[in-house]
Amino acid sequence: MSPFGALREQLLGAATAFADAPSALPGILSGLVDDVDRALREELEIFPVCHHSPASALAMVRRLREKQPRVIYLELCEDLQPLLDELRNCRLPVALQAFASEIDGFPPHWGPLSVVAPITEASAEYQAIAYALDTPGVELVLVDRSADHVFQWLPREPVESAEPAAADDADGAAVHGEEAALHGDAVGVEIGDLRPRFAELEEHLLHHGKVRHWSEWWDQYVEQPLAGADYDTYRQVMVLIGSLFRRLGPDGGDRLARDEDRERYMWTRMREHLAASDADPSQCLYVCGAFHAASRVEQFGLAAEAPAYDISPRTATRWLYGLIPSSHSAIEAQFALASGSVSIAAATWTKAVARHGVTPYQLEGQKGARKRPGRVRPAAPVPQGPVTDRLSGFLANPPALDGLDEAELLGWCVDIVRLARRNGYLASTADAIAVFETSILLAGLRNRARPTPYDFQDAAVTCIEKDVVPGRRDVRRLCEILLGGDRIGEVGYRALPPLAQDVYDRLKPLGLDLEKRTQQRALLNLDADPELVPCSHLLWMLRYLLPEDAVRPIMGARRLGERPIQESWDLAIGRHQRSIIELGYEGVTVEQVLEQRLRRTVWAPEATAAVALAAVEDAILYLGSRRFTDELGGRAVELLAAERTVDDAPDVLRRIRRLLAHYRATEPVLPAWCEAFVTTGYAHYCTLLPTAFVDEEAGVRQVAAMLGFLSSMESLALALGCDRAQLELAVRQSHPEAPAKVALLWAAQFRLGLLAQAELRSRCDELLDNPLVVPAFPLYLSGFVQALEPVPALAPFVVEVMSKAFARLPDAVLLPWLPKLITTLRDQAHELVPVLVREAGRTFPAALSSVDTWVPPWSARETPKAVAGPVPGVAGPVADLLAGHPVACDAVAVLLGCEAGWQPTGHLADGPEHREVADLLVRHPEAADAVAGLLAGRAAFGR
């Protein structure tokens, strides 16, 4: 007869008396009792747990000392077992991790794959691991699905939406900076996950329990009552809770199906191990979540007659394993717990250990382990007794209420006021008294005889945090720090992968403690201390591979052709230990990882020629391998030839110019891939040029960069066998319609000698004189500015055109265009601005006093063309020279203060002023001969 018969009858009677639908409720209540009875009658002892629960950890310690099992089956990914012994070299909390960057058998967008299982001291799992590893003759067997199966069983959709690692805001969980992201974008293994999966049920429990979130409800109604309960009561209550959440959860669904598959998987693995090892089930212990302890799958129990579960083979994905640092905040984020709940659990664990006189298990030699009292000699194993009903008494009697611990509460109140003062709050002794009284008041309103940490938090927020937060931390965060803080784990040197150990070894000459989580400043004088040069080289590679704030240069740069003399770095390597460990999953050394990443970058489907050139530059800066650089350069040539757009033309031009300058300065000859890139680019851009001129999606900047490539690389391309006629033909075939591109085409024609500057000036003047074209003239001018890239000799002409535009364009056209011109120059052509500024400095007067009398060089009066003829008083070539250049003669006359004019026949007009000019030329024949020699060769002046 079942020991729970009386409880079942009592529950069924209550359901018949109070339920509106007695046909459904009796089945649920009876099923709860049946689940408890079934789990406790199982031959293999089942130990139900809740993850990171002090009550579970206390019960585990007690049971291990009583039973002393020889085999422990633990709900944890079976392929993580080799990592467990490395926990000795770590400071908890840490997380076991399975990582895969090269995936095979999963959707490509899932990568990289990561599974983490955090371990804290206040957890039943850690107590079982420590007992098994430090007790001779005890075998620990992980029986849960492998990391590969974790992803096999996920729906074929983005993994973030299937089982995210980060918590939602259901519990009001707050993320405290980097510590909450220590697990990265990993899928968490929820060991002992125990939470209602029915939203209405959770809301009902929170409302009637007068608590704010689930973590507080669990602490008040489960943790505190079970902390001092005996083992049988603990087991029955935990299985009852797991059964309740299971039966009141939503029917069906992918998550429930995965849970049931996990249970079939674990029971199959345990049966296989028992059959292979001939272990006695009475000396075994199965540690699993309370939700799985109430399992109803057909493979449940050793006496089940259902066939073994068919476990699918693993995929070809190559998994790597290691330990990464964890923290209380990271665990809270992963399991959707309230902020500070894991810290409060750790404080509760410490207090419970001291109160109940329990000596917990701890791995020998564990880093950062607290000193414990001497080991208690294990007692003789206690066999499992008959199952008795402990639920009836537990459910019928109210929990024993702890009395008010005034000393503890007073200490909290005084410490929170002191901490608040340090963080900028105007707190006083009166606030400490108010927090004390408010804590007791809130506990009374919530039917608690003793204020919990959550009551104390609420009281501190009410009494201290008035209206604003003066510093970085609010009062709730200060309470979390006071009650235990966000403890952060550390992976010891011996447990690190070879790459991480190599990083620590190579940075030893810096003389810094890289294991610290604080930011440290490293000063490197590379001339005085040449042994620091390898450290500098490694830091630049880590800068490329790690997050931005892990390794941050304050002084110094890494560029082609530059050798640093002094450098200054801010290092936070200890804070980003997880990132360094995950680098160890990709290779043995940092150089190998960097080479693999660069190779993946240039062979990615979305790679472009600009991306490949950037990879070439990085390879030169960080690796210095000529073979690898040539490989990347060859890939850049392939990508350039395959491109059908010119979107990256500016980036391509900038990078290839820099690389060519580097090789010309350091190498006797250019690499073969550089020559191939120039010839391929010359032919490629000549082919695309006519299309780019008329393509609306190709911007002016892109077309200008194409012309810049063709112009600056022309001499090298022609020397390598290219034909200039190809460029001329491409320019002749271009017929743009956009004003800016028309200006670019004119500049290209000028560069090739197909358009004279006088004709170009005439066209621009016609545009300014045409009222229909005036509104669009700024677009032409933008094209001329961009044309400075391929035709820098146009700088004087561009200054001239801009000056004419500023002088002649109406304000309605000019003023709206000026901001656009400035933003365009800043964003797209910032390197062209110095060219314009220098040319303008040469053109315009340097002093303010000269502005009024300054005459622009392009504003000389237009005069009719003169007919060559004799000049009175002047004979020979000088007369022909003056007649052939009347504008120059007029200019000289104006500078000398004479008004000059020309007769229709080309002779100087008669008159006193004109005779003065003739007399002047006669009196100074040497000057006239010098001018004639400059303009028309050597000439003799006739007297």
Side-chain angles (χ1 to χ4, degrees):
M1 184 175 180
S2 173
F4 299 99
L7 177 61
R8 181 183 292 104
E9 295 297 331
Q10 183 180 0
L11 293 176
L12 291 178
T16 305
F18 298 104
D20 296 333
S23 59
L25 185 58
I28 295 176
L29 296 179
S30 178
L32 297 179
V33 178
D34 292 339
D35 289 341
V36 175
D37 191 13
R38 183 186 186 192
L40 269 62
R41 284 182 177 274
E42 171 56 35
E43 181 183 5
L44 176 61
E45 182 177 347
I46 301 174
F47 190 100
V49 301
C50 174
H51 62 276
H52 313 298
S53 165
S56 295
L58 287 171
M60 174 64 73
V61 173
R62 295 189 184 106
R63 186 55 184 165
L64 290 175
R65 295 202 182 278
E66 293 175 356
K67 183 180 179 67
Q68 298 184 23
R70 310 310 299 171
V71 178
I72 297 179
Y73 298 111
L74 184 60
E75 178 195 335
L76 193 61
C77 292
E78 58 185 1
D79 49 343
L80 297 177
Q81 182 144 359
L83 298 176
L84 297 180
D85 197 58
E86 295 294 338
L87 292 174
R88 303 179 189 276
N89 301 314
C90 303
R91 178 185 294 116
L92 298 181
V94 296
L96 313 175
Q97 183 183 38
F99 186 88
S101 56
E102 300 177 1
I103 61 177
D104 185 356
F106 302 107
H109 61 271
W110 282 17
L113 306 179
S114 179
V115 174
V116 297
I119 303 294
T120 62
E121 187 177 1
S123 65
E125 298 83 10
Y126 172 75
Q127 295 300 319
I129 293 171
Y131 164 80
L133 295 182
D134 280 350
T135 305
V138 176
E139 184 178 6
L140 179 64
V141 183
L142 306 187
V143 294
D144 200 358
R145 54 186 175 165
S146 67
D148 196 89
H149 287 93
V150 170
F151 288 94
Q152 281 189 38
W153 294 355
L154 289 180
R156 286 303 192 251
E157 59 185 19
V159 69
E160 289 81 6
S161 62
E163 193 173 348
D168 55 16
D169 293 331
D171 264 354
V175 178
H176 299 305
E178 300 163 351
E179 288 75 16
L182 286 176
H183 295 173
D185 298 328
V187 173
V189 179
E190 298 182 351
I191 305 175
D193 180 29
L194 199 57
R195 182 170 183 169
R197 298 182 181 179
F198 191 43
E200 287 77 4
L201 173 60
E202 182 173 338
E203 182 180 356
H204 178 83
L205 293 175
L206 298 183
H207 174 71
H208 290 277
K210 299 179 181 180
V211 293
R212 291 175 292 115
H213 45 69
W214 174 252
S215 300
E216 186 176 0
W217 185 93
W218 181 266
D219 178 76
Q220 178 176 348
Y221 294 100
V222 179
E223 284 293 330
Q224 301 301 331
L226 289 183
D230 59 85
Y231 177 62
D232 291 336
T233 303
Y234 167 82
R235 287 184 70 200
Q236 295 175 23
V237 170
M238 292 294 288
V239 176
L240 177 69
I241 295 174
S243 176
L244 175 67
F245 293 164
R246 188 173 192 127
R247 289 183 177 273
L248 294 185
D251 294 333
D254 292 336
R255 184 171 183 181
L256 181 59
R258 290 198 302 271
D259 286 333
E260 291 180 347
D261 286 341
R262 289 177 64 188
E263 293 157 5
R264 297 184 180 97
Y265 192 107
M266 290 187 286
W267 280 106
T268 299
R269 289 301 193 206
M270 287 186 289
R271 289 182 182 179
E272 291 174 352
H273 180 268
L274 288 172
S277 62
D278 294 331
D280 185 1
S282 63
Q283 296 182 350
C284 300
L285 189 66
Y286 171 34
V287 182
C288 66
F291 188 89
H292 301 298
S295 173
R296 300 190 301 272
V297 297
E298 59 276 11
Q299 285 83 5
F300 181 89
L302 299 181
E305 299 179 357
Y309 178 65
D310 185 15
I311 299 175
S312 61
R314 301 183 187 181
T315 65
T317 299
R318 180 171 173 265
W319 289 91
L320 300 167
Y321 303 92
L323 296 169
I324 61 173
S326 184
S327 68
H328 292 169
S329 295
I331 297 171
E332 291 158 5
Q334 177 177 331
F335 295 106
L337 301 176
S339 175
S341 59
V342 178
S343 298
I344 293 176
T348 303
W349 161 255
T350 303
K351 186 188 303 182
V353 167
R355 175 183 299 178
H356 298 286
V358 177
T359 303
Y361 290 95
Q362 197 167 53
L363 290 174
E364 295 288 346
Q366 180 179 313
K367 188 175 182 180
R370 300 178 182 178
K371 292 184 178 180
R372 300 290 187 188
R375 284 299 181 99
V376 178
R377 179 173 297 179
V382 178
Q384 184 175 358
V387 177
T388 57
D389 180 12
R390 301 296 182 90
L391 276 177
S392 299
F394 183 84
L395 297 176
N397 299 324
L401 299 177
D402 292 335
L404 174 62
D405 190 344
E406 291 190 3
E408 179 186 56
L409 184 57
L410 283 173
W412 288 352
C413 296
V414 172
D415 291 340
I416 192 60
V417 169
R418 182 185 299 113
L419 195 57
R421 286 175 180 171
R422 293 177 183 174
N423 285 268
Y425 290 91
L426 299 177
S428 63
T429 306
D431 293 311
I433 298 173
V435 172
F436 180 85
E437 297 295 340
T438 306
S439 300
I440 297 175
L441 177 62
L442 288 177
L445 292 174
R446 295 166 180 173
N447 297 325
R448 303 170 186 168
R450 177 177 182 169
T452 66
Y454 297 100
D455 299 324
F456 168 71
Q457 277 187 343
D458 293 342
V461 171
T462 302
C463 300
I464 298 177
E465 192 171 277
K466 307 298 190 299
D467 50 356
V468 295
V469 178
R472 294 186 300 111
R473 300 184 179 99
D474 57 11
V475 174
R476 190 170 301 279
R477 177 63 178 152
L478 296 179
C479 291
E480 295 170 12
I481 295 174
L482 173 66
L483 296 172
D486 186 13
R487 189 176 302 170
I488 301 170
E490 178 189 339
V491 179
Y493 177 85
R494 294 184 180 180
L496 292 173
L499 181 144
Q501 294 182 0
D502 182 60
V503 168
Y504 280 79
D505 293 340
R506 292 167 65 178
L507 293 180
K508 276 184 179 179
L510 296 179
L512 302 177
D513 186 1
L514 300 179
E515 294 183 356
K516 290 184 178 180
R517 294 186 54 83
T518 57
Q519 183 172 280
Q520 303 177 75
R521 177 65 58 87
L523 303 176
L524 285 72
N525 189 340
L526 303 180
D527 277 354
D529 299 316
E531 66 275 7
L532 297 180
V533 173
C535 295
S536 170
H537 188 62
L538 177 59
L539 289 175
W540 282 111
M541 288 189 289
L542 293 176
R543 165 73 173 172
Y544 184 90
L545 296 171
L546 295 179
E548 183 177 357
D549 56 337
V551 178
R552 186 164 58 93
I554 304 302
M555 182 181 67
R558 193 82 164 186
R559 300 189 185 96
L560 291 177
E562 295 185 6
R563 188 183 71 86
I565 299 176
Q566 291 181 335
E567 292 179 351
S568 176
W569 295 83
D570 276 348
L571 305 181
I573 292 179
R575 191 183 306 164
H576 293 271
Q577 193 181 50
R578 179 184 67 87
S579 299
I580 297 180
I581 291 173
E582 290 184 350
L583 286 182
Y585 299 154
E586 301 182 46
V588 179
T589 63
V590 175
E591 288 81 1
Q592 181 185 5
V593 174
L594 181 57
E595 180 176 336
Q596 291 176 355
R597 289 198 181 182
L598 291 176
R599 185 175 282 109
R600 284 199 302 266
T601 299
V602 299
W603 262 272
E606 64 276 6
T608 62
V611 171
L613 289 178
V616 170
E617 188 172 346
D618 292 335
I620 295 173
L621 290 174
Y622 303 123
L623 298 178
S625 171
R626 181 63 181 270
R627 173 198 57 78
F628 183 59
T629 304
D630 291 345
E631 177 186 342
L632 299 181
R635 177 60 177 169
V637 176
E638 297 176 4
L639 292 172
L640 180 64
E643 286 182 355
R644 292 297 174 262
T645 64
V646 294
D647 297 339
D648 294 332
D651 200 11
V652 170
L653 175 61
R654 183 176 64 256
R655 293 187 181 279
I656 192 60
R657 278 179 175 172
R658 190 157 57 231
L659 289 170
L660 288 176
H662 167 72
Y663 281 119
R664 283 168 175 162
T666 58
E667 300 286 344
V669 294
L670 290 177
W673 75 266
C674 281
E675 297 179 351
F677 192 92
V678 172
T679 56
T680 302
Y682 192 86
H684 179 68
Y685 284 142
C686 283
T687 304
L688 295 181
L689 189 61
T691 304
F693 264 117
V694 298
D695 188 2
E696 295 181 356
E697 295 183 359
V700 181
R701 179 64 172 166
Q702 282 70 30
V703 179
M706 294 174 63
L707 292 172
F709 185 95
L710 297 171
S711 175
S712 60
M713 305 293 167
E714 184 178 20
S715 59
L716 179 58
L718 296 181
L720 295 174
C722 295
D723 190 357
R724 193 171 192 265
Q726 189 176 6
L727 175 57
E728 295 181 359
L729 184 61
V731 172
R732 293 180 185 274
Q733 290 177 341
S734 302
H735 304 286
E737 296 181 358
K741 292 184 179 180
V742 170
L744 275 178
L745 179 61
W746 291 349
Q749 292 173 345
F750 171 77
R751 170 68 174 76
L752 296 175
L754 304 177
L755 184 64
Q757 186 170 354
E759 177 64 20
L760 186 59
R761 181 179 290 107
S762 175
R763 291 183 181 182
C764 293
D765 292 338
E766 291 176 3
L767 294 175
L768 283 172
D769 293 337
N770 189 343
L772 298 178
V773 184
V774 165
F777 188 79
L779 299 177
Y780 287 93
L781 189 53
S782 298
F784 281 123
V785 173
Q786 297 285 357
L788 293 178
E789 179 74 61
V791 193
L794 272 181
F797 176 76
V798 174
V799 172
E800 174 185 339
V801 174
M802 291 184 70
S803 300
K804 290 180 178 179
F806 292 157
R808 298 171 59 179
L809 286 178
D811 292 345
V813 176
L814 184 62
L815 294 180
W817 168 68
L818 284 178
K820 184 177 181 180
L821 174 65
I822 295 173
T823 56
T824 302
L825 290 175
R826 182 187 62 187
D827 298 337
Q828 299 184 5
H830 56 87
E831 71 277 3
L832 303 178
V833 174
V835 179
L836 288 174
V837 172
R838 286 194 299 268
E839 187 59 37
R842 287 193 291 263
T843 303
F844 297 105
L848 183 62
S849 58
S850 305
V851 174
D852 294 336
T853 60
W854 176 72
V855 178
W858 56 82
S859 63
R861 290 187 306 234
E862 295 183 359
T863 57
K865 293 183 179 179
V867 180
V871 179
V874 182
V878 174
D880 297 337
L881 178 64
L882 295 176
H885 301 279
V887 177
C889 185
D890 288 348
V892 173
V894 171
L895 290 175
L896 295 175
C898 301
E899 294 184 6
W902 292 91
Q903 293 180 352
T905 59
H907 294 270
L908 284 171
D910 293 334
E913 297 84 5
H914 308 138
R915 286 194 295 271
E916 291 176 5
V917 174
D919 294 340
L920 182 64
L921 295 175
V922 172
R923 287 197 305 271
H924 301 283
E926 296 83 3
D929 287 343
V931 173
L934 290 174
L935 298 177
R938 186 173 183 180
F941 188 84
R943 293 188 178 268

